[in-house]
């Protein structure tokens, strides 16, 4: 019998708590401990579903250091669940490094299906879904211009994440590199009360958000180059 534990990657709701799965709740109640990106953010979710397991912090600033300790616990037979603040771990969130280290040490890894922001945004966009490229957050400075130049000729649907305080700047940059008439679909606050999707050209979408609230997390879907 294998005496090592298992690492579970458990998606959490990106807004609406009803989007968590029965299986996710069961796993979170059964594991020996839970790793959370921000324990303060995860606390209300865990309390809501009456989950009382020990919770430890695992985020981008301590990921490399804490992964060694986590692998040690897994080798001792403990089952551990990793959650992010919202959505699926390792998708623009911590998780990749820990998964890689677990696999290097022959530890079983199981990822549950569940919420992630880019899938509903893509399907909602009306752009082709048979081929697409997910870019997550663009580099903040170094490499940002180069990435834009590469994506400008991409013929697949492009999916990007963006924060509210950079949205208008990003739309300006897209007008420069993609052209003001490139079609966009911008979704914000997915699954939440003020969920909104704005579709149109880069210029039209920018004009809209210049006069409407720029709040929440954004997913930008860009039509591929014709």
């Amino acid at each position: 019998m294998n005496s090592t534990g298992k690492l579970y990657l458990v998606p959490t709701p990106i807004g609406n708590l009803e989007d968590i799965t029965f299986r996710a709740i069961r796993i979170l109640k059964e594991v020996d401990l839970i790793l959370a990106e921000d324990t303060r953010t995860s606390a209300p979710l865990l309390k809501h579903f009456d989950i009382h397991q020990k919770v430890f912090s695992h985020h981008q600033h301590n990921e490399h250091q804490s992964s060694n300790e986590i692998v040690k616990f897994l080798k001792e037979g403990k089952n551990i669940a990793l959650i992010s603040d919202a959505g699926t771990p390792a998708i623009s969130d911590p998780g990749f490094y820990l998964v890689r280290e677990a696999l290097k040490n022959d530890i079983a890894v199981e990822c549950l299906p569940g919420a992630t922001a880019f899938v509903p945004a893509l399907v909602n966009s009306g752009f082709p879904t048979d081929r697409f490229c997910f870019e997550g957050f663009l580099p903040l400075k170094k490499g940002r211009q180069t990435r834009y130049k590469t994506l400008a000729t991409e013929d697949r649907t492009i999916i990007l994440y963006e924060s509210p305080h950079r949205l208008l700047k990003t739309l300006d940059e897209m007008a420069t590199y993609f052209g003001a008439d490139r079609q966009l679909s911008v979704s914000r606050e997915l699954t939440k009360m003020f969920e909104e999707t704005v579709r149109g050209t880069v210029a039209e979408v920018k004009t809209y958000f210049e006069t409407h609230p720029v709040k929440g997390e954004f997913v930008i879907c860009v039509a591929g180059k014709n």
Side-chain angles (χ1 to χ4, degrees):
M1 182 178 292
N2 191 346
S3 61
T4 60
K6 179 183 282 189
L7 173 64
Y8 294 92
L9 280 73
V10 182
T12 54
I14 58 175
N16 193 321
L17 292 181
E18 293 179 358
D19 291 336
I20 198 167
T21 67
F22 292 123
R23 183 178 167 206
I25 295 171
R26 176 179 63 79
I27 293 295
L28 291 175
K29 288 184 175 182
E30 290 178 353
V31 294
D32 296 295
L33 61 94
I34 296 170
L35 305 173
E37 186 178 359
D38 187 328
T39 56
R40 296 165 299 180
T41 301
S42 299
L45 172 76
L46 299 176
K47 181 180 179 181
H48 180 83
F49 290 107
D50 198 30
I51 297 167
H52 303 289
Q53 263 59 6
K54 292 181 179 179
V55 182
F56 293 92
S57 179
H58 183 79
H59 49 75
Q60 63 177 340
H61 301 296
N62 75 349
E63 186 172 19
H64 287 65
Q65 181 180 352
S66 67
S67 290
N68 294 328
E69 287 297 313
I70 295 162
V71 167
K72 180 182 175 183
F73 288 144
L74 289 162
K75 283 183 173 181
E76 291 172 354
K78 295 188 183 298
N79 292 315
I80 299 175
L82 172 65
I83 61 176
S84 63
D85 287 347
T88 301
I91 302 296
S92 291
D93 278 316
F96 159 71
Y97 184 81
L98 177 57
V99 169
R100 187 175 65 180
E101 292 305 298
L103 294 175
K104 281 182 181 179
N105 286 273
D106 297 320
I107 293 165
V109 177
E110 185 173 329
C111 183
L112 279 63
T116 189
F118 80 81
V119 174
L122 170 63
V123 174
N124 239 349
S125 71
F127 298 147
T129 58
D130 56 333
R131 296 173 66 246
F132 60 88
C133 63
F134 174 71
E135 290 288 319
F137 289 97
L138 291 174
L140 293 181
K141 294 180 180 178
K142 186 178 181 181
R144 189 176 179 91
Q145 188 178 64
T146 301
R147 188 74 60 86
Y148 271 128
K149 289 178 179 178
T150 300
L151 293 175
T153 58
E154 175 61 64
D155 61 359
R156 297 171 294 177
T157 302
I158 303 163
I159 306 167
L160 303 167
Y161 284 164
E162 193 50 278
S163 63
H165 66 274
R166 283 196 302 267
L167 179 69
L168 291 177
K169 176 186 176 183
T170 295
L171 291 173
D172 262 336
E173 293 169 341
M174 287 184 172
T176 299
Y177 292 100
F178 298 159
D181 59 347
R182 181 76 72 94
Q183 290 289 318
L184 294 183
S185 175
V186 178
S187 297
R188 72 178 187 94
E189 295 290 81
L190 286 165
T191 80
K192 300 176 185 177
M193 183 180 296
F194 298 106
E195 177 177 336
E196 178 181 33
T197 295
V198 180
R199 305 174 183 86
T201 65
V202 174
E204 290 168 343
V205 172
K206 182 173 182 292
T207 297
Y208 176 86
F209 282 111
E210 284 174 337
T211 56
H212 291 77
V214 183
K215 295 181 179 179
E217 296 302 312
F218 288 80
V219 184
I220 304 173
C221 294
V222 185
K225 182 177 176 62
N226 294 329

